[in-house]
Amino acid sequence: MRIDVVTVFPDYLRPLELSLPGRAREKGLIEVEVHDLRTWTHDVHRTVDDAPYGGGAGMVMKPEPWGEALDAVAPDGATLVVPTPAGEPFHQRLAAELATREQLVFACGRYEGIDARVAADAARRLEVREVSLGDYVLNGGEVAALAVIEAVVRLLPGVLGNAASLAEESHGEDGLLEYPVFTRPVAWRDLAVPDVLLSGDHARIASWRAEESRRRTVARRPDLLTADVGGWRIEPAAPA
Ligand SMILES: COc1ccc(Cn2ccc3ccc(-c4cc(N)[nH]n4)cc32)cc1
């Protein structure tokens, strides 16, 4: 998979050189390139924004630099991911879908967003997915892009050293929250590890974990008990 990110803050994407995406790059499983949107400006001030038509607070990102950037960076048929508060909810099912794509291009906006014609023009030759990370407001798309990239890259074959952990996520109690996890020491600040986990009785342990998943889900995410999509225990479809 190739991933390109276009942003006015390239340094915001430096974490992609670390840990999971960093190792995946070293293994040659993904190529990642970050591009400065101002590369495609031609005025002395390298202008990327202007006042919104119709009035209102803030500034809007101009279409021309974005159009030239996407022409240069995104080949026909690539998938353009545009983080926005107004996007479709990002969740594991969408991560699994994006993990099947050959090339993802992320358009990271700032200000009050990107001129809407950019996505409309891109949709003429790209798959365009406008995605929201959740019902809260960020200042730009870079943090969202980092989250989406991590959620997608970890699903790629060979990226997670322990594929079993991915498999376990996908075979837990479907669509429920993870059970609590513990490790040594067995006693810590007068807090103990549940005895069942020390019993070696794998059937009892599995039953306890299933019950803990259900208990947590009822307490924290009752919505998941009725949801028919969005669960994160989904394995990526085989690449097209
Ligand atoms: C209310 O309208 C607004 C429009 C844009 C902004 C700032 N901004 C600019 C680009 C950009 C990209 C993504 C996001 C974002 C995504 C999620 N889930 N929250 N926030 C925010 C973004 C603030 C508010």
Side-chain angles (χ1 to χ4, degrees):
M1 176 183 285
R2 179 176 170 89
I3 299 173
D4 290 274
V5 184
V6 182
T7 168
V8 291
F9 289 126
D11 284 350
Y12 228 114
L13 281 297
R14 295 290 298 274
L16 291 179
E17 297 165 14
L18 306 174
S19 187
L20 191 68
R23 276 202 310 277
R25 291 171 83 170
E26 285 159 19
K27 289 182 181 177
L29 297 170
I30 58 171
E31 295 170 75
V32 179
E33 188 170 355
V34 179
H35 310 268
D36 185 342
L37 178 67
R38 295 186 198 275
T39 303
W40 291 280
T41 61
H42 308 293
D43 63 304
V44 68
H45 298 297
R46 313 192 79 192
T47 307
V48 294
D49 65 306
D50 200 341
Y53 277 122
M59 302 291 273
V60 172
M61 299 194 91
K62 295 171 58 62
E64 301 98 321
W66 279 108
E68 290 185 33
L70 295 180
D71 287 350
V73 168
D76 286 1
T79 297
L80 177 66
V81 180
V82 186
T84 167
E88 64 181 291
F90 180 69
H91 47 60
Q92 196 67 11
R93 187 175 294 277
L94 181 49
E97 191 179 338
L98 294 177
T100 67
R101 302 303 193 259
E102 287 180 18
Q103 180 164 358
L104 301 179
V105 179
F106 288 81
C108 298
R110 281 273 152 174
Y111 305 98
E112 294 304 308
I114 302 172
D115 184 302
R117 291 170 291 180
V118 172
D121 176 59
R124 293 165 171 165
R125 64 183 188 85
L126 304 174
E127 175 190 22
V128 178
R129 304 300 286 264
E130 297 188 61
V131 300
S132 165
L133 278 204
D135 293 335
Y136 49 86
V137 181
L138 301 167
N139 273 343
E142 288 80 7
V143 165
L146 285 170
V148 173
I149 290 168
E150 179 154 318
V152 169
V153 167
R154 68 191 298 277
L155 294 178
L156 299 177
V159 169
L160 270 194
N162 174 11
S165 61
L166 189 60
E168 177 158 328
E169 278 175 18
S170 63
H171 295 303
E173 289 297 315
D174 271 347
L176 301 183
L177 299 183
E178 280 304 314
Y179 47 78
V181 291
F182 301 83
T183 187
R184 286 176 290 192
V186 73
W188 175 73
R189 294 188 180 183
D190 79 29
L191 298 170
V193 173
D195 288 338
V196 63
L197 299 180
L198 310 174
S199 68
D201 181 337
H202 297 297
R204 274 188 65 212
I205 290 168
S207 174
W208 180 86
R209 285 174 167 172
E211 181 49 33
E212 281 299 300
S213 286
R214 273 188 290 276
R215 186 186 57 76
R216 273 184 160 190
T217 306
V218 168
R220 300 177 186 177
R221 289 293 307 275
D223 58 295
L224 291 179
L225 296 171
T226 53
D228 59 354
V229 291
W232 46 79
R233 290 177 177 74
I234 294 152
E235 292 177 39

